[in-house]
Amino acid sequence: MSRNIQVSRLDRQAVEDQEVEIVERKGVGHPDSISDGLAESVSRALSQLYLDRVGKVLHYNTDETQLVAGRAAPAFGGGEVIEPIYVLVVGRATKSYDGQQLPVDSTALAAARDYLEETIPELEYGTDIVVDVRLGEGSGDLQDVFGEETQEVPMANDTSFGVGHAPLTETETIVYEAERALNTTYYADHPELGPDVKLMGKREGDRIDITVAAAMVDAYVEDLDDYDDAVADVREFVTDLAEDHTDREVHVHVNTADDYEEGSIYLTVTGTSAEQGDDGSVGRGNRANGLITPNRPMSMEATSGKNPVNHIGKIYNLLSTSIAESVTEEVDGIRDLQVRLLSQIGRPIDEPHVADAQIVTAEGVDIVDIEEEVTAIIDRELADVSEITRKVIEGDVTTF
Amino acid sequence: MSRNIQVSRLDRQAVEDQEVEIVERKGVGHPDSISDGLAESVSRALSQLYLDRVGKVLHYNTDETQLVAGRAAPAFGGGEVIEPIYVLVVGRATKSYDGQQLPVDSTALAAARDYLEETIPELEYGTDIVVDVRLGEGSGDLQDVFGEETQEVPMANDTSFGVGHAPLTETETIVYEAERALNTTYYADHPELGPDVKLMGKREGDRIDITVAAAMVDAYVEDLDDYDDAVADVREFVTDLAEDHTDREVHVHVNTADDYEEGSIYLTVTGTSAEQGDDGSVGRGNRANGLITPNRPMSMEATSGKNPVNHIGKIYNLLSTSIAESVTEEVDGIRDLQVRLLSQIGRPIDEPHVADAQIVTAEGVDIVDIEEEVTAIIDRELADVSEITRKVIEGDVTTF
Amino acid sequence: MSRNIQVSRLDRQAVEDQEVEIVERKGVGHPDSISDGLAESVSRALSQLYLDRVGKVLHYNTDETQLVAGRAAPAFGGGEVIEPIYVLVVGRATKSYDGQQLPVDSTALAAARDYLEETIPELEYGTDIVVDVRLGEGSGDLQDVFGEETQEVPMANDTSFGVGHAPLTETETIVYEAERALNTTYYADHPELGPDVKLMGKREGDRIDITVAAAMVDAYVEDLDDYDDAVADVREFVTDLAEDHTDREVHVHVNTADDYEEGSIYLTVTGTSAEQGDDGSVGRGNRANGLITPNRPMSMEATSGKNPVNHIGKIYNLLSTSIAESVTEEVDGIRDLQVRLLSQIGRPIDEPHVADAQIVTAEGVDIVDIEEEVTAIIDRELADVSEITRKVIEGDVTTF
Amino acid sequence: MSRNIQVSRLDRQAVEDQEVEIVERKGVGHPDSISDGLAESVSRALSQLYLDRVGKVLHYNTDETQLVAGRAAPAFGGGEVIEPIYVLVVGRATKSYDGQQLPVDSTALAAARDYLEETIPELEYGTDIVVDVRLGEGSGDLQDVFGEETQEVPMANDTSFGVGHAPLTETETIVYEAERALNTTYYADHPELGPDVKLMGKREGDRIDITVAAAMVDAYVEDLDDYDDAVADVREFVTDLAEDHTDREVHVHVNTADDYEEGSIYLTVTGTSAEQGDDGSVGRGNRANGLITPNRPMSMEATSGKNPVNHIGKIYNLLSTSIAESVTEEVDGIRDLQVRLLSQIGRPIDEPHVADAQIVTAEGVDIVDIEEEVTAIIDRELADVSEITRKVIEGDVTTF
């Protein structure tokens, strides 16, 4: 076997056992997440366009989308946007191939519109938010990077680094699942909840505090009592959800900055703070696994918007997470696992310079007992690296 | 009577009798007309917003909209826009009043979207065309210019000049009516005709040549034969229409720059040349009466987008045209009439520095026979100047 | 002789003899003139770039520059710009030729910077004014339009119309010369005078009123007395200049909208009203001969920024003016002359569809006496049409 | 003592002792660093403006600057920029205070220009790079946050997290110092080296590999031999510098992606890859201590461009680093130290929810021996928190 796979003991406590743990997740309606989501949806659309038109993904990156906040005047029963949010989709794309012009700008805008309409339904495209696009031509070496015919694995074009871990701690699980549930099942019955939900989890010993900042949508909130009910509903929902995932003591705090006396509450027209002064950028929020976890090593690389065929940072961040999840699913006795992949310029991406799994084992389990099994799984997943690319293009994997 | 109204003989032949006459009209889908139309629809929306919210029209001007052309790849049966058209709505507007914030930017964008969807239906807002807005705050002296309570006539704030004429010559009538008919009744049965229709009329003696440049919409044109039929249909329609308005010899030429051998035809995706390289600006196309008439004096002032309450150039251009039409309708024996209004800073706008009607009378009619009647009509219309403002706000009068 | 040249009597009085005459000129620092000047200086720079790099002028147009006004806080002794002026240079340009990339965007920006620094020295490039550029690729048929080798006359690509006249009336002369003198010799000794000088001349019978709006630069104005002196100096200068050109009664009014009691004066930081709320566009101000003359036929075509090799409207507007000037210089007995050139698509531009000179002769001169001479001059100038192109590229002729 | 300061053992090996270590630093000319640097220089200029005009720092944030790459055509001896780099400075700022207008936009642009001219001297402001600005008004609660009179410590307005560590490992030291030296002392004698230098350090056991990507400036490189010499010089310089900091085996690799046969080398016109396809954003590159260190916990917060008076994330990231440095300087026996500060909404920022120092002691040193001393230093630095703000405003501390 030619791959350089190393399995070793992680020389620290499992995060679950550390005294203090901090976890954060910015919901899909947070300005940074909107930027991530736009970048990634534009990326998927371009990949699909290239596959449809020329049978392979061409050179592009759309990972620099910038959101400039607007201004709004929310009001019980329904206010209005005063100054629209402005988004500039920035990146590089191949605009013609083999004499054929490719509608990359129009495709990008259509993807942005569709994504926004689905994700932030209260935001009217073109009037509440203006999206413009600046996609420069790439550096000219229009590499054919991925196609139906191409069976070859691409070469790494950069020295880059990906890191993943599993399993999630209780706090991580609660923060992640709460945001997902709030924005799907809870929202289905509670239109007053906007998609800009930000959760911060802090665990000290056996006490978990979940702080939620939840943008309420004014059209569905009649008055302050109504608002107070909406806040209480979120608190109850998140508390119940959290208690399904832990036996620790849980405290949930929602919109703690509110001051009813002063009339200062988190009320919005569109359900996102981007309507009022909060700008957003790609790669500034959640990491590839959907969380911000200062207790763990993280990659600074923005994952959203990067080309899923040849951007090694994107692929390795997603793959290391996938490997970590597979390993902990298939192998017993792992309490904490951290996978790092380091690329080597000029070598196929399924042969990283080093693939490094560090493990905190459960009591009674020794690393040598499971080393071989872990190595085999890593080897298998590396061999199947192009599966990550395929999943990204088809939208089967999230990047933020 | 205090108004300085002068009626005199126009010391030239009636335009109808001149040897050479040139007339042009850019249809509503021409890039310059799109700019005019956007500027004026945004202006109407802001007037309406101010009336709704504060009971009077506040300071604004939106007469500087700039359109940057896109790129498209038309194809028989339906092509696509490659790079969207970009529009920057530029101007000044009052953004707050008496502590109340006014959604001028969002209102402007909504007006732009509605106008485009109605006027150029094949152009998808937000993907085929991106509209952004830069409305600065005005100079601070937020004058309350027009309201329900205010019965006073505003003061002229500039030395400006308006000019109108009537009746239209045969060539003018044909050029104007043909564009209107093509974009309404004809279009209803001919979806292949785009709104970007440009007509140039040239009369030499008793021969009238009408040159039409008509953008065809590719989705409704199957092949070159189909295209050729579409061109022939326009030619026939315009010829018939022209012959209803004149007994002179009429020749109609449609899309004369086409070269079928070279495959060079006027085919578009969206029905406007703005999709492919033709930029547009406010005030560069049709004058306030809808025509470009080098045989007659014209004002350089852009009319579209100007504030209809206090912009003296806009008001006087529309009013002089209205006066000329009223006079020729009500008074017999006028072969050609030209009305000029010159403002005087600091005086009420219903008291121009000079209102000057120059007339070419019909044979047998002397200027003194009609002078009094003409003066009375001008006086009446000046007294009723605020009617122009009202009509503009309600969209009952066109500005280009 | 193959050219269709017609000489006829102009069936109206000479403008000099008409009862009322109106003339306007916007100085180089007026927002519309800034736009014109930027468009034309960018145009010249691109022509020169193409000649230097590929030996001929390639396809481009830069006639759609839009200026968005800034905000400023002027103060005696020196205030400051609060929000910069924003300029978007819009147009089309050929960006590569024969495999060679051409720095059109950078060239355009450098030309804009140099023009602004020379014309409006108080305006700091990059901080008081931001210039951005959107030059799309042309329609693809990259025509080689003009070069050292090419001796052929280009074909007209549009039906277009140019009009010129000569000699200038007294009022026209005064308005034109006063602006030129104020911005050159007068400015040399009076740094307090900004380049945004707008002159309106109105003649009624033998009385000429010249209204001047002159932006004063605050850094050179200590207080209100100083300002009042500056206004008086301009008045005196323009009065003297006017009296050199006419024996009529002259009245000069400077900054008539000032209200010293209210502290409302025309004081600026940079010498242009673009710093405070006045937007500007190409082609909205002076016609190709530097004046706005509602008493005469005018072309709506923007001249500034158009390609001087093949844009027929630009060439014919400049050429008709040049012809009119030559004829009146060389031929005696002409009181008023109007030259119109009408192009014909597909024919060489030196063979217009019609070249039409209409003349008001001096007393005692009959049109037949001079017809032949006039025709010969027109023929000569048409034959030499490419001289206009050359002059434009070298900056020897102004366009606004 | 009321501060919640905790000192504990760090339950892992010192990073210096770990088997694999990865460190990265993006030089000041890297597109992400340009964005950081612009954001921070604009921030400093606004702080200074507010202090000068109103005696205290008002509400603002400028941490969302977006850089859109240009296009260039480098050539030995000197090429040219084809399409300028575009920068949009994004953020919020207070534009008027107590009736006084504040020139925030002009100040931001001037700061950007000065920063670029100093940092990337080959890049001509206004032609090679266009900087525009979109600073919205803040959310209205214009808090007076910091002033000469104000002696009070501000309240934390968010739950945020800062982390710092010390001392630097050998690899960290080398990566950091090499970039600093290349861009200062080395550059002084080697104008061919552009400021876009990116260093990646990888240590496996006792072998350190330093990979340098160094943009060369074409005007100072005559030919390929010259280029090859320039690369060799960098390699030698970095090798020497590294060997001053470590006894481990060092290998330095410069511009490893070059392919001389194919003529593919890292040659630029301006010394930054932003000229050719590489976009940049704030907060995507170096952390507050100037490094990217996946072996250590990092904060995702962008530090550059944030308001140094009240942005708790910025303050805590800089303060935790400062504390870590002070502690390791003053206390013996610390092999690795990690400081975390967690804010608590509504409490003074000098009283964090928890200040947590985790230590790997040197052999023979016990945590209890130094705990008291460490606590005292942390307490002292927290008490002096406003010193960080002052240093940021005066430019005495770097943020990236």
Side-chain angles (χ1 to χ4, degrees), chain A residues 53 71 80-84 86 101-103 105-106 109-110 113 124-127 130-132, chain B residues 53 71 80-84 86 101-103 105-106 109-110 113 124-127 130-132:
Chain A
R53 299 285 173 100
R71 277 194 309 136
E80 67 195 347
V81 171
I82 297 290
E83 200 177 294
Y86 172 78
Q101 293 199 82
L102 297 163
D105 287 330
S106 305
L109 289 170
R113 182 198 54 201
E124 198 167 348
Y125 186 76
T127 56
V130 170
V131 181
D132 198 6
Chain B
R53 298 287 174 98
R71 277 194 310 135
E80 67 194 348
V81 171
I82 297 290
E83 201 177 294
Y86 173 78
Q101 293 198 82
L102 299 162
D105 288 330
S106 305
L109 289 170
R113 181 199 55 202
E124 198 166 348
Y125 186 77
T127 56
V130 171
V131 181
D132 198 5

Side-chain angles (χ1 to χ4, degrees), chain B residues 97 131 154 158 162 168 177-178 180 193 210 221 232-233 247 249 253 280 303 329-330 389:
Chain B
Y97 184 80
V131 181
D158 201 358
L168 295 189
E177 295 297 337
R180 291 291 67 217
L193 180 71
I210 305 291
V221 180
D233 287 352
D247 293 327
E249 185 186 345
H253 317 272
T303 301
E329 240 164 65
E330 300 179 31
T389 299

Side-chain angles (χ1 to χ4, degrees), chain C residues 108 158 337 386:
Chain C
D158 201 358
L337 165 65
S386 63

